[in-house]
Amino acid sequence: MSTTEQRVAVVTGGARGIGAATAVRLAAEGRAVAVIDLDEANCKDVVEQITAAGGKAIGVGCDVSDEAQVEAAVARIAEELGAPTILVNNAGVLRDNLLFKMSALDWDTVMNVHLKGAFLMARACQKHMVDAKFGRIVNLSSSSALGNRGQANYSAAKAGLQGFTKTLAKELGKFGITANAVAPGFIATEMTKATAERVGMDFEEFKKGAASMIPVQRVGVPEDIANAVAFFTGEQAGFVSGQVMYVAGGPLN
């Protein structure tokens, strides 16, 4: 594939927050973008934002933890946009609780979306990347991978994604495919807003408290993560693989 051809990027969990910012950024980089979310209707705003700016995008409804839905979604993307050679595994959910309160369903739900979803999407897309002799896979990890109270499931899943990323880098590198992970720190999104509400805090105060513990003295925004993803998915990043980039405003310890 010539580098002048338009690459096709897939962003899971792309309807809002980090996923939406990433989809918009990759479109600005000249990519055609498939915005995947559980409900296709929720992708409409992001798709319209991209197309209004002159880009090319489609919304795709898909439960990334469902094998048949993933295979169907990737086949549709290949047919409507072209072979997907950039994959951003961003879809995620929270089911926070202390270990003794955490149900097996809470555990399974988080593992299925984060880990199984990333596995199914990567497996479905890699065949197109191998054929193109080019691929970029970016998995969204988290600073919670280092451990976080009340997030045994989420922390384990996000740590697992780092091992998954390094393994993909080793397996797929000979085909011109790189795999990297971005691990956000505190990012102001609907998800962190919901966390503030759950613990009974005003979101602005919640962000202020978080910022006070971050070296750059502010919380992150989705565009901060999109910038990192844009680097890893770029044509010039072919010698960077198997890496985990913490985008957290400074060292975490």
Side-chain angles (χ1 to χ4, degrees), residues 115-126:
L115 278 176
K116 186 179 179 183
F119 156 69
L120 291 174
M121 288 298 306
R123 190 182 65 178
C125 289
Q126 62 86 29

Side-chain angles (χ1 to χ4, degrees), residues 18 21-22 25 138-146 154 162 180-189 192 210 213-232 243-253:
I18 290 170
T22 297
R25 175 60 190 272
V138 179
N139 298 313
L140 268 292
S141 181
S142 169
S143 59
S144 292
L146 302 174
Y154 187 78
Q162 295 189 16
N180 293 285
V182 175
F186 189 106
I187 308 297
T189 63
T192 48
M213 297 183 286
I214 298 172
V216 299
Q217 294 290 287
R218 72 167 176 89
V219 300
V221 294
E223 289 73 18
D224 289 317
I225 307 306
N227 291 338
V229 175
F231 165 71
F232 279 134
Q243 303 305 302
V244 179
M245 180 190 291
Y246 282 86
V247 184
L252 296 167
N253 51 32

Side-chain angles (χ1 to χ4, degrees), residues 95-185:
R95 294 293 186 272
D96 293 354
N97 226 325
L98 294 174
L99 180 63
F100 76 99
K101 293 181 180 179
M102 186 174 290
S103 68
L105 180 59
D106 290 337
W107 179 271
D108 289 345
T109 298
V110 169
M111 291 296 166
N112 282 342
V113 175
H114 292 270
L115 278 176
K116 186 179 179 183
F119 156 69
L120 291 174
M121 288 298 306
R123 190 182 65 178
C125 289
Q126 62 86 29
K127 64 190 74 172
H128 297 286
M129 299 178 185
V130 169
D131 288 345
K133 297 182 176 58
F134 174 94
R136 299 285 186 265
I137 299 172
V138 179
N139 298 313
L140 268 292
S141 181
S142 169
S143 59
S144 292
L146 302 174
N148 197 31
R149 179 180 171 84
Q151 289 193 317
N153 49 5
Y154 187 78
S155 295
K158 290 304 193 182
L161 280 170
Q162 295 189 16
F164 179 64
T165 298
K166 291 175 185 293
T167 300
L168 292 186
K170 291 183 177 183
E171 288 189 10
L172 302 176
K174 64 183 178 181
F175 302 108
I177 302 167
T178 65
N180 293 285
V182 175

